[in-house]
Amino acid sequence: MTLSMYQASVPVFLSMLENLSNILSRAEADATERRIDPNIFLTARLAPDMFALARQVQIATDHAKGAPSRLAGREVPRYEDTEATFGELQARIEKTRNYLKTFEQKDIDGSEDRVIEIKGGGRLFSFSGAQYLLHYALPNFYFHVTTAYDILRHNGVDLHKRDFIGGS
Amino acid sequence: MTLSMYQASVPVFLSMLENLSNILSRAEADATERRIDPNIFLTARLAPDMFALARQVQIATDHAKGAPSRLAGREVPRYEDTEATFGELQARIEKTRNYLKTFEQKDIDGSEDRVIEIKGGGRLFSFSGAQYLLHYALPNFYFHVTTAYDILRHNGVDLHKRDFIGGS
């Protein structure tokens, strides 16, 4: 057995998005309990020029839907980026998880050497499928999921690393 | 070609640790420029019950040295966790990068199904090598590198996502 491109992508995104969904549920419950306007969490950011929580969740799902699509040679589904409530963010995560479930092993396996081109910051990046997944999509995805967690922890939501890692 | 366990581990840790080193260099230079005691950055945290910057860097390197060691069946090198300056954290990152370079493809490839047991929070977790790398070591590693970045951004250090992703 070797590691497959499917295994290194779809199940990783699926489980981390489930953890992110649970983290957001905890945050929403905490807002209710402490009588905090949920918008305060949704618009919270760690620095004035960093994205707020809602945008972090949007971008995390963008990488989760983008990576398997590009590896499989499918068009990346477009989302409107209009989510402004916990419920709408949860729906976006759920939609992304359902989309991820449409991929089968064979759709993604063998994409190690597929040429993937990404536009970012006015530049065009060209990767092999393996480089794209391991050195671009996954680090970006983890960056935004972690930062969503960090924003909530900074705002006093009672979360633990196991909520981020999941599986316990 | 398929994805190899080596490819999904050692080069990922190596490049992200290089990025983390660059981020810490930027932070140290920023402290000098803004006449901020470097200890303020090193002991900064996002919540009272989260780890400070120095500890985030220590734990990131722990996952980076731990994962390939366990996958290869080597004993994990012990570090003393005494780093209290930027220079000492840089030395720890450098030591970890040099250790990572001692692994060859053949040391790690084929470890997908090796049984890996990890103690955490008083529990014993048992994984296959692939599960351990993809669902435990990498998410933990990214969590601590991202949180180090987030702590510094929150403290006004001028960093950008490309510093985290690297390669540009």
Side-chain angles (χ1 to χ4, degrees):
Chain A
M1 186 190 146
T2 58
L3 204 57
S4 77
M5 286 292 284
Y6 176 88
Q7 190 180 10
S9 57
V10 173
V12 172
F13 292 122
L14 277 172
S15 65
M16 290 303 300
L17 287 178
E18 186 179 356
N19 301 345
L20 180 59
S21 168
N22 292 335
I23 286 167
L24 294 176
S25 296
R26 298 276 297 275
E28 192 179 11
D30 180 83
T32 304
E33 198 173 318
R34 290 196 283 157
R35 303 187 185 199
I36 294 166
D37 179 346
N39 282 318
I40 293 173
F41 287 166
L42 292 161
T43 61
R45 57 190 84 225
L46 292 171
D49 57 347
M50 285 184 83
F51 288 125
L53 176 65
R55 189 82 191 106
Q56 300 289 349
V57 174
Q58 288 171 344
I59 304 178
T61 55
D62 284 344
H63 287 288
K65 70 180 163 69
S69 300
R70 293 192 181 98
L71 293 172
R74 287 197 203 168
E75 198 169 342
V76 182
R78 284 188 69 86
Y79 292 173
E80 290 300 325
D81 297 336
T82 53
E83 295 82 5
T85 66
F86 277 107
E88 288 166 2
L89 290 175
Q90 294 283 10
R92 182 177 176 125
I93 293 172
E94 186 60 20
K95 181 165 68 168
T96 307
R97 295 189 80 244
N98 288 335
Y99 176 65
L100 285 164
K101 291 174 189 168
T102 67
F103 290 90
E104 296 177 46
Q105 283 267 2
K106 66 174 170 50
D107 298 328
I108 290 180
D109 285 355
S111 60
E112 292 82 356
D113 296 322
R114 176 188 278 271
V115 177
I116 309 281
E117 296 190 326
I118 300 283
K119 278 180 225 153
R123 293 176 53 193
L124 188 67
F125 296 89
S126 184
F127 301 96
S128 70
Q131 287 280 319
Y132 163 68
L133 177 63
L134 296 171
H135 294 270
Y136 184 88
L138 284 173
N140 268 292
F141 174 73
Y142 279 120
F143 177 91
H144 293 288
V145 177
T146 303
T147 301
Y149 174 101
D150 283 347
I151 289 170
L152 290 167
R153 287 286 266 111
H154 183 63
N155 280 273
V157 179
D158 183 28
L159 296 167
H160 301 275
K161 245 272 282 310
R162 63 175 176 273
D163 300 310
F164 175 86
I165 297 294
S168 42
Chain B
M1 188 190 145
T2 58
L3 204 57
S4 76
M5 287 291 284
Y6 175 88
Q7 192 180 9
S9 57
V10 173
V12 172
F13 292 122
L14 277 172
S15 65
M16 290 303 300
L17 287 178
E18 186 179 355
N19 302 345
L20 179 60
S21 168
N22 291 336
I23 286 166
L24 294 177
S25 296
R26 298 276 297 273
E28 191 179 13
D30 179 83
T32 305
E33 199 173 319
R34 290 197 283 156
R35 302 186 186 200
I36 295 166
D37 180 346
N39 281 319
I40 294 175
F41 287 165
L42 292 161
T43 60
R45 57 189 85 224
L46 292 172
D49 57 348
M50 285 184 82
F51 288 125
L53 176 66
R55 189 83 191 105
Q56 300 289 351
V57 174
Q58 288 172 342
I59 303 177
T61 55
D62 284 345
H63 287 288
K65 70 180 164 65
S69 300
R70 292 190 181 99
L71 292 172
R74 287 197 204 167
E75 198 168 343
V76 182
R78 283 187 69 86
Y79 292 174
E80 290 301 326
D81 297 336
T82 53
E83 295 82 4
T85 66
F86 277 106
E88 287 166 3
L89 290 175
Q90 293 283 11
R92 182 176 175 127
I93 293 172
E94 187 58 22
K95 182 166 66 170
T96 307
R97 295 189 80 242
N98 288 336
Y99 176 65
L100 284 164
K101 291 174 189 169
T102 66
F103 290 91
E104 295 177 45
Q105 282 268 1
K106 66 175 170 49
D107 297 329
I108 292 182
D109 285 355
S111 59
E112 291 83 356
D113 296 323
R114 178 187 276 270
V115 177
I116 309 282
E117 296 190 324
I118 300 284
K119 278 182 223 153
R123 295 176 54 193
L124 189 68
F125 296 89
S126 183
F127 301 96
S128 69
Q131 287 281 320
Y132 163 67
L133 178 62
L134 296 171
H135 294 270
Y136 184 87
L138 284 173
N140 267 293
F141 174 72
Y142 279 120
F143 178 91
H144 293 287
V145 177
T146 303
T147 301
Y149 174 100
D150 284 348
I151 289 170
L152 290 167
R153 287 286 267 113
H154 184 62
N155 280 274
V157 179
D158 183 29
L159 296 167
H160 300 275
K161 245 271 283 310
R162 63 175 174 272
D163 300 310
F164 175 85
I165 297 293
S168 40

